[in-house]
Amino acid sequence: MTEFTPLMSLSGGTLIGLSAVLLMAFHGRIAGMTGILTGLLPPIAADWGWRAAFIAGAIVAPMLIVMLSGQAIGFDSPVPTSWLAVSGLIVGVGVYFGSGCTSGHGVCGLARLSPRSIAATAIFMATTAATVFVTRHVMGGL
Amino acid sequence: MQRTIIAGLIGLVFGTGMALSGMSNPAKVLNFFDFAGSWDLSLALVMASALVVTAIGYRIVLRRDRPVVEARFHLPTGRKLDLPLIAGSAIFGVGWGMSGFCPGGAIPALGLGESSVWIFVGTMLAGIFAARTVRLALESRATQTA
């Protein structure tokens, strides 16, 4: 079970939105994790620097929160390692061909009312919900 | 240098948002999608608030001629609902539903020092790399035969 956390969700979501707006304002880029990661993979392109810095900032953030607040950040990965490894592969292939993930399509794309992003978000939300239903209630959980 | 530092600071805001909101916690993500079981509505509020801020912010920002540290805005221009978009998004959802990890949530979660995140991110990068290699190979074959 996880608790309903409306205040943390709203403040976290506001910061996610703020980062998307800032990246557009300063760099003129969509704050989509898929696009930023793909641009980091070899062969190394000229705009490698800002992408790596964005990723580094994102990784450091939870460390800083824990250090400064002394509070742990909720984390629980409830599935077996082999399942996790396979899901990573599936996610990688999916977001590459789908040209985006939750941050790119689900936040930046929907905010621009992009038809591709609206379709992509509707499709992945549906298959995610279906997958959770099947693994938890048909297969009986992992 | 200035561009890099600014991007790092924006990444910091992104990671803070992901970590605070619970998007980096696979159990919370899976419970959001588990309508028939231990449903946790929280992530709907994350998406809604992020979307409102971005929609309003983009309207203001995109009125400018150019971004602050680049020559122009880089906005996706495609409008076609093609097979890669539809199939790719469907495939992504299956992977997200299996583990509760999406790329935007998993990268900040690397900072939590949990080995499970490194496994996920490792195979995810392999997946992106493999998919790109396949696509580039198919495209070069298509131009050769054309």
Side-chain angles (χ1 to χ4, degrees):
Chain A
M1 284 298 284
T2 50
E3 300 229 352
F4 180 50
T5 50
L7 285 179
M8 294 293 265
S9 299
L10 288 172
S11 51
T14 302
L15 288 177
I16 295 168
L18 182 65
S19 69
V21 175
L22 289 173
L23 197 67
M24 188 58 76
F26 281 90
H27 293 259
R29 298 280 182 168
I30 295 287
M33 194 46 91
T34 299
I36 294 175
L37 278 176
T38 304
L40 265 183
L41 292 174
I44 303 295
D47 62 350
W48 195 84
W50 74 265
R51 295 170 191 274
F54 182 91
I55 303 272
I59 297 173
V60 169
M63 298 177 180
L64 281 181
I65 297 174
V66 172
M67 268 171 55
L68 296 176
S69 72
Q71 306 265 331
I73 290 171
F75 181 88
D76 181 20
S77 175
V79 302
T81 305
S82 54
W83 194 251
L84 201 64
V86 173
S87 91
L89 210 55
I90 294 173
V91 165
V93 170
V95 294
Y96 179 77
F97 283 111
S99 309
C101 53
T102 37
S103 49
H105 282 311
V107 177
C108 300
L110 287 192
R112 297 167 55 236
L113 295 176
S114 148
R116 277 171 60 86
S117 292
I118 293 168
T121 308
I123 291 167
F124 68 66
M125 293 297 253
T127 54
T128 306
T131 305
V132 171
F133 183 82
V134 169
T135 52
R136 289 198 169 177
H137 302 290
V138 178
M139 293 165 60
L142 288 160
Chain B
M1 194 61 209
Q2 184 203 14
R3 288 173 48 175
T4 311
I5 293 168
I6 292 169
L9 292 173
I10 300 171
L12 205 59
V13 177
F14 179 89
T16 305
M18 283 288 173
L20 288 184
S21 66
M23 285 292 289
S24 291
N25 185 354
K28 204 162 173 69
V29 172
L30 291 175
N31 284 345
F32 169 69
F33 286 102
D34 193 5
F35 311 111
S38 49
W39 195 41
D40 178 349
L41 177 67
S42 307
L43 292 200
L45 300 182
V46 181
M47 289 282 281
S49 52
L51 201 49
V52 169
V53 172
T54 310
I56 296 171
Y58 272 8
R59 304 204 96 192
I60 299 167
V61 162
L62 291 173
R63 271 190 224 138
R64 295 173 50 102
D65 295 330
R66 46 170 286 194
V68 181
V69 298
E70 290 242 14
R72 64 179 185 91
F73 290 107
H74 299 264
L75 293 172
T77 51
R79 297 183 68 83
K80 238 172 57 185
L81 304 183
D82 51 12
L83 182 64
L85 179 88
I86 291 165
S89 299
I91 291 168
F92 162 46
V94 172
W96 195 21
M98 282 172 67
S99 63
F101 277 118
C102 65
I107 294 295
L110 286 173
L112 297 173
E114 305 271 354
S115 58
S116 56
V117 191
W118 291 92
I119 294 165
F120 175 86
V121 171
T123 57
M124 178 180 80
L125 290 175
I128 294 176
F129 192 76
R132 192 178 60 172
T133 308
V134 167
R135 177 179 251 183
L136 294 179
L138 288 176
E139 278 172 3
S140 81
R141 189 187 293 175
T143 41
Q144 273 164 19
T145 48

